């Protein structure tokens, strides 16, 4: 019994698992990769078995039959465009190592503004915690651009101070970006943040376009 328990604990604790959240309609590069000299495979876990997605040899990923046109030959796993049906469980094999990657495709909320206007970026992530504090974190390109805690009422925006909590929308994490510039374009992720400053659960995403 004890041996069985130990085996289970070891199996669980050595699970190499990661979540990735690409955005529908965008391109996406997996941060996970094999070493240059390793033979590798990316497979998709389906009810009837594993389906080959791409193969890694001599430092290059080559798409499998069903993924030509969507995955480009490249040194990392690069999807040219993400479809909704790309959600699922993938298995990455590099040499003798195996990693499970859970892919959850996020559907963006589109916001389009003209240059110089203000943009409201709504957060659809459920943020309320039991202690009634709301902590939100906004990121673009994996960079934190805004953090906000409703209990301390402390925000931390970009250096130029153009980002703030949306006036009158205090408790749901919505933010406002003033005098939008062309270079502000991109996908903004709203995460729930816990008291230790860690991200929790899945984010929501706003795709900002500037005309
Ligand atoms: C997902 O949908 C796209 C577009 O409809 C299609 O081209 C592609 O083959 C599908 N992929 C899978 C894995 O079913
Ligand atoms: C958001 O923009 C993308 C890219 O322009 C488009 O494909 C998608 O249909 C838009 N989504 C909605 C809900 O309008
Ligand atoms: C943008 O927001 C600022 C500060 O809230 C406000 O003073 C300004 O009038 C707004 N600009 C536009 C174009 O709405
Ligand atoms: C936001 O917080 C980070 C780290 O906590 C700090 O380095 C940065 O200066 C802060 N930015 C602003 C605008 O206060």
């Amino acid at each position: 019994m004890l041996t069985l328990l130990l085996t289970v604990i070891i199996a669980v604790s050595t699970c190499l698992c990661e979540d990735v959240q690409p955005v529908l309609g965008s391109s996406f590069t997996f941060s996970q990769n094999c070493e240059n000299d390793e033979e590798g495979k990316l497979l998709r876990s389906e009810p009837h078995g594993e389906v080959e997605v791409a193969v890694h040899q001599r430092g290059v990923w080559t798409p499998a039959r069903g993924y030509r046109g969507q995955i480009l030959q490249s040194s990392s796993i690069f999807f040219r465009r993400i479809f909704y049906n790309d959600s699922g469980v993938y298995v990455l094999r590099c040499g003798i190592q195996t990693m499970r990657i859970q892919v959850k495709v996020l559907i963006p909320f589109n916001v389009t503004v003209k240059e110089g206007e203000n943009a409201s970026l709504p957060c659809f992530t459920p943020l309320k915690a039991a202690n009634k504090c709301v902590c939100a974190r906004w990121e673009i390109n994996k960079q934190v651009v805004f953090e906000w805690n409703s209990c301390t009422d402390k925000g931390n925006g970009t250096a130029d101070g153009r980002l703030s909590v949306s006036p009158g929308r205090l408790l749901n994490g919505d933010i406002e970006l003033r005098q939008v510039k062309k270079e502000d374009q991109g996908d903004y992720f709203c995460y729930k943040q816990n008291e230790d400053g860690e991200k929790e659960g899945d984010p929501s995403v706003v795709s900002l376009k500037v005309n």
Side-chain angles (χ1 to χ4, degrees):
M1 187 64 199
L2 188 64
T3 334
L4 180 66
L5 192 65
L6 280 176
T7 315
V8 169
I9 290 171
I10 289 165
V12 168
S13 62
T14 55
C15 171
L16 283 168
C17 306
E18 274 188 51
D19 280 8
V20 300
Q21 288 132 341
V23 177
L24 182 67
S26 305
S27 61
F28 185 74
T29 305
F30 279 70
S31 58
Q32 300 83 0
N33 205 348
C34 297
E35 297 291 330
N36 228 357
D37 53 359
E38 266 177 338
E39 301 226 326
K41 257 184 194 173
L42 182 69
L43 305 152
R44 191 182 160 129
S45 216
E46 305 255 357
H48 57 270
E50 289 176 337
V51 175
E52 206 166 272
V53 176
V55 176
H56 185 255
Q57 265 180 330
R58 288 182 289 279
V60 178
W61 284 98
T62 305
R65 181 186 288 262
Y67 286 87
R68 286 178 201 152
Q70 194 188 3
I71 294 179
L72 296 189
Q73 248 196 6
S74 161
S75 58
S76 38
I77 305 168
F78 175 71
F79 279 69
R80 221 159 49 86
R81 187 182 169 88
I82 293 291
F83 296 112
Y84 194 64
N85 59 6
D86 291 323
S87 284
V89 175
Y90 292 74
V91 177
L92 176 63
R93 296 226 167 91
C94 296
I96 54 162
Q97 286 230 45
T98 296
M99 176 187 268
R100 271 168 59 90
I101 304 172
Q102 172 90 47
V103 174
K104 273 195 208 159
V105 175
L106 301 177
I107 302 186
F109 179 82
N110 292 341
V111 170
T112 306
V113 294
K114 292 203 189 82
E115 203 167 2
E117 285 183 350
N118 298 342
S120 276
L121 311 183
C123 176
F124 295 107
T125 311
L127 297 173
K128 282 231 166 60
N131 58 13
K132 300 204 176 63
C133 289
V134 171
C135 296
R137 178 201 299 198
W138 284 86
E139 290 185 2
I140 179 169
N141 299 326
K142 304 217 156 92
Q143 303 280 318
V144 180
V145 288
F146 197 76
E147 280 179 312
W148 182 68
N149 181 327
S150 70
C151 287
T152 58
D153 195 22
K154 261 196 179 149
N156 178 340
T158 49
D160 59 5
R162 288 187 300 125
L163 268 179
S164 61
V165 175
S166 279
R169 307 295 306 276
L170 282 181
L171 287 174
N172 43 18
D174 297 0
I175 53 174
E176 187 174 66
L177 178 59
R178 283 190 299 276
Q179 295 175 346
V180 170
K181 302 174 185 165
K182 261 269 188 269
E183 59 264 33
D184 294 327
Q185 283 202 124
D187 293 329
Y188 290 76
F189 294 80
C190 180
Y191 290 89
K192 177 178 180 169
Q193 184 164 288
N194 67 19
E195 286 116 58
D196 301 324
E198 288 158 348
K199 296 186 277 194
E200 262 183 16
D202 295 333
S204 56
V205 58
V206 175
S207 182
L208 177 67
K209 290 185 189 75
V210 182
N211 286 336

